[in-house]
Amino acid sequence: EPEVTQTPSHQVTQMGQEVILRCVPISNHLYFYWYRQILGQKVEFLVSFYNNEISEKSEIFDDQFSVERPDGSNFTLKIRSTKLEDSAMYFCASSRASGAAAGTQYFGPGTRLTVL
Amino acid sequence: GESVGLHLPTLSVQEGDNSIINCAYSNSASDYFIWYKQESGKGPQFIIDIRSNMDKRQGQRVTVLLNKTVKHLSLQIAATQPGDSAVYFCAENSALANAGGTSYGKLTFGQGTILTVHP
């Protein structure tokens, strides 16, 4: 069964450093997403991406964040200058379509980001 | 010391019992609802979904009920097993994501409920 994969599983970084979180969505999916989950809290939407551009982003997704689909399989989230409060689990998700029209989102296992 | 994070609702059941997990959603424009299961250290796993033109949908051992009048969603798990122990999240998808009325799939997650199944 195809699944979303993410690397690394755990990333430790110093405050102010840049990090890139990587995802390989399910191969025939067209919509890609990043969410984050601070420890003990609910999952929060960051950004959605379709047709090589951002479709929607949340207030969390400020200028320090960027996403890219550098090739036909990878989808990355970059945090330019990490802050302590960026420590969280980051989940990538993908779907064939969006909204009520068969938009089931399948999530990867997550990358735990720890900012020291 | 001071606690950090939300105190999630909890539900403890015996193996073999039926479980009912509830969720209230906020956006009356939401047209698609999903239940996810999250085990410790893993990503949310899709369980079942329902569209707003339905009020009930059944899967294998799971049933989702939607009451749009009171904006309430529930997940029923029949014959609950220890492997069902996890945090369960409801999520909603709004049909009107922007002024153009096109949804791009942003999911808004609920708070989560911790289900513990005792053997």
Side-chain angles (χ1 to χ4, degrees):
Chain A
E1 183 177 313
E3 57 184 19
V4 176
T5 60
Q6 290 184 244
T7 55
S9 57
H10 192 186
Q11 174 88 48
V12 181
T13 190
Q14 295 291 324
M15 189 170 57
Q17 294 296 303
E18 175 184 287
V19 294
I20 298 176
L21 310 183
R22 302 181 191 279
C23 169
V24 179
I26 295 173
S27 62
N28 63 345
H29 284 188
L30 301 176
Y31 294 80
F32 314 110
Y33 314 85
W34 283 101
Y35 292 81
R36 80 170 186 191
Q37 185 178 32
I38 294 171
L39 184 64
Q41 299 190 20
K42 60 184 179 181
V43 178
E44 301 174 288
F45 171 81
L46 292 178
V47 66
S48 60
F49 190 87
Y50 170 70
N51 200 25
N52 280 322
E53 60 182 25
I54 290 174
S55 306
E56 188 176 4
K57 59 184 180 180
S58 71
E59 294 174 352
I60 303 167
F61 195 89
D62 61 22
D63 292 345
Q64 295 300 312
F65 290 86
S66 62
V67 290
E68 191 179 23
R69 187 153 164 84
D71 53 43
S73 59
N74 291 283
F75 180 51
T76 62
L77 174 69
K78 181 192 293 186
I79 308 175
R80 193 168 302 123
S81 177
T82 50
K83 302 186 286 286
L84 295 176
E85 53 266 37
D86 292 328
S87 295
M89 281 289 284
Y90 287 81
F91 294 108
C92 174
S94 69
S95 66
R96 282 190 297 113
S98 74
T104 302
Q105 293 181 28
Y106 295 91
F107 283 74
T111 293
R112 179 174 298 284
L113 177 64
T114 302
V115 182
L116 303 176
Chain B
E2 192 174 19
S3 62
V4 176
L6 300 172
H7 293 284
L8 299 181
T10 59
L11 176 65
S12 291
V13 300
Q14 291 295 127
E15 181 178 2
D17 287 352
N18 296 332
S19 302
I20 300 176
I21 300 170
N22 297 302
C23 176
Y25 65 93
S26 55
N27 189 349
S28 55
S30 293
D31 66 349
Y32 179 56
F33 304 88
I34 313 99
W35 280 100
Y36 284 94
K37 170 187 180 183
Q38 187 178 28
E39 296 172 286
S40 181
K42 296 185 180 180
Q45 177 187 354
F46 171 84
I47 302 173
I48 191 167
D49 57 3
I50 189 168
R51 300 201 172 99
S52 58
N53 60 352
M54 304 169 69
D55 53 20
K56 180 179 179 179
R57 190 166 187 224
Q58 288 185 289
Q60 189 177 17
R61 276 201 312 120
V62 293
T63 301
V64 55
L65 299 177
L66 174 63
N67 185 330
K68 294 182 288 294
T69 303
V70 295
K71 292 189 283 189
H72 184 266
L73 197 64
S74 69
L75 176 71
Q76 300 177 0
I77 306 174
T80 318
Q81 302 166 0
D84 295 327
S85 294
V87 180
Y88 288 80
F89 291 95
C90 65
E92 59 184 295
N93 180 246
S94 303
L96 297 176
N98 58 31
T102 304
S103 172
Y104 295 105
K106 168 189 171 182
L107 291 178
T108 301
F109 279 78
Q111 187 173 336
T113 296
I114 301 173
L115 174 65
T116 304
V117 183
H118 301 282

